[in-house]
Amino acid sequence: MATISSMTNNTYMMYQMAEKQGLNITSGTTTDASTSSALSSLTNTSSSNSSSAASSLYSSSSSANDMATLSSIKSGYSGLVSSYESTKQTFNTEMKGTLSDLSSSAKTVANMNFDFSESDITTASDGTKTYSDGLKSAISSIKSLVSDYNDALDFFSDNKSVSDRASALATAFADTTYRSGQYSQIGINVDSKTGALSVDEDKLATALTTESSRVENTLGKNGLAGKAEDHVAQANFQSDKIFPSATQMFGNETKAASLYTGSTLLAISSYATTGNLLNMLF
């Protein structure tokens, strides 16, 4: 199953994009020299005689440069936020599909008939085994549950660095390791490192026909299927908070950049010098 770990990549891509725009996300300051200089000069000038200071520090050319700097901040963040929101949408879409598949297969196993006997397996003279249609259907449903469970486990494990919530869900889905002994007795093997499941079909078929009650308790509504439904419900309950917002990820710099709206920049551009800009603002 495809994941978007390559897109999120522990949000590193977004930090890189921010740095390319001359913004230091960690410290919350601009790193672009011209941006820092321009905004610093604007601030210092406003605390004194803004008109005269502006006239001495800025020319029409420097004003145009300041305007270009502000425009760059605005366009840079527009692209950054747009890319971030696109990644978030992709994450949420794939998460929704993954959880929906798991919920469906979990419900199937939870409501499945586990009433099988040894007569559901026929062994030919050459040792070849044939399963009844009912037994084949049950094994197929269990294999689908295992596959969908692994998909959900992989999804949250691959993207656990997106947020604390995603990390907590990855841990929840990996709780199969605590029941590895119980699962292995009926033909469900557990990877001790990742919690991923695999099916030993012959062992599972034998368990279904000789220990159907044990299999139902282990995999049914009180077992793996029930656990899967609980995990899905937990994830769906907080689905809108698992992938953080752009403001949560990048901090207040997004708010500062959003102040430079299109209309604001157009108004600023009508002033030929920074002195005129300061007169307007102060």
Side-chain angles (χ1 to χ4, degrees):
M1 181 193 76
T3 67
I4 65 160
S5 58
S6 61
M7 296 179 68
T8 55
N9 193 23
N10 302 340
T11 70
Y12 179 65
M13 176 186 71
M14 294 306 171
Y15 283 88
Q16 281 189 315
M17 291 180 66
E19 292 291 345
K20 287 180 180 179
Q21 297 302 324
L23 297 158
N24 188 321
I25 300 301
T26 304
S27 64
T29 60
T30 56
T31 56
D32 182 88
S34 62
T35 303
S36 177
S37 175
L39 297 182
S40 175
S41 297
L42 284 171
T43 302
N44 293 335
T45 304
S46 66
S47 63
S48 60
N49 187 331
S50 58
S51 295
S52 61
S55 297
S56 62
L57 291 174
Y58 293 92
S59 64
S60 295
S61 176
S62 64
S63 178
N65 289 336
D66 292 341
M67 180 61 197
T69 296
L70 296 179
S71 297
S72 176
I73 293 173
K74 174 64 180 178
S75 62
Y77 260 113
S78 293
L80 175 64
V81 172
S82 177
S83 296
Y84 187 87
E85 291 302 322
S86 176
T87 301
K88 179 178 180 179
Q89 182 178 1
T90 302
F91 176 94
N92 287 335
T93 298
E94 184 163 345
M95 180 179 67
K96 182 179 179 180
T98 299
L99 294 176
S100 178
D101 289 344
L102 178 57
S103 177
S104 178
S105 59
K107 284 181 171 61
T108 297
V109 172
N111 298 312
M112 188 177 75
N113 176 24
F114 286 86
D115 188 16
F116 298 102
S117 66
E118 293 183 60
S119 63
D120 286 289
I121 299 179
T122 301
T123 304
S125 58
D126 62 357
T128 302
K129 294 182 178 181
T130 303
Y131 303 149
S132 68
D133 290 342
L135 183 58
K136 284 192 290 187
S137 178
I139 292 174
S140 177
S141 295
I142 292 170
K143 291 175 71 174
S144 292
L145 171 60
V146 167
S147 177
D148 291 339
Y149 193 95
N150 285 340
D151 285 346
L153 171 62
D154 288 344
F155 178 81
F156 288 108
S157 294
D158 288 344
N159 296 292
K160 62 184 178 181
S161 295
V162 165
S163 67
D164 290 340
R165 294 176 188 272
S167 179
L169 286 168
T171 299
F173 276 99
D175 69 358
T176 51
T177 56
Y178 299 111
R179 299 171 176 81
S180 58
Q182 183 181 1
Y183 290 138
S184 66
Q185 291 178 1
I186 63 169
I188 307 296
N189 300 314
V190 182
D191 187 304
S192 60
K193 294 183 178 179
T194 65
L197 306 171
S198 60
V199 178
D200 181 333
E201 189 170 316
D202 287 339
K203 190 173 182 178
L204 174 60
T206 299
L208 280 166
T209 57
T210 60
E211 301 179 278
S212 57
S213 294
R214 170 181 282 190
V215 177
E216 182 173 9
N217 289 332
T218 304
L219 299 181
K221 62 183 178 181
N222 295 318
L224 178 63
K227 278 289 183 184
E229 289 189 284
D230 288 344
H231 294 335
V232 169
Q234 180 185 5
N236 282 332
F237 179 75
Q238 54 184 330
S239 60
D240 61 332
K241 301 180 180 66
I242 294 175
F243 200 101
S245 67
T247 299
Q248 288 174 313
M249 180 60 67
F250 300 122
N252 291 329
E253 285 196 2
T254 54
K255 294 181 180 179
S258 68
L259 294 176
Y260 298 112
T261 63
S263 59
T264 299
L265 292 175
L266 286 173
I268 292 174
S269 67
S270 66
Y271 289 82
T273 66
T274 302
N276 288 333
L277 173 60
L278 292 172
N279 287 333
M280 175 187 71
L281 295 177
F282 303 100

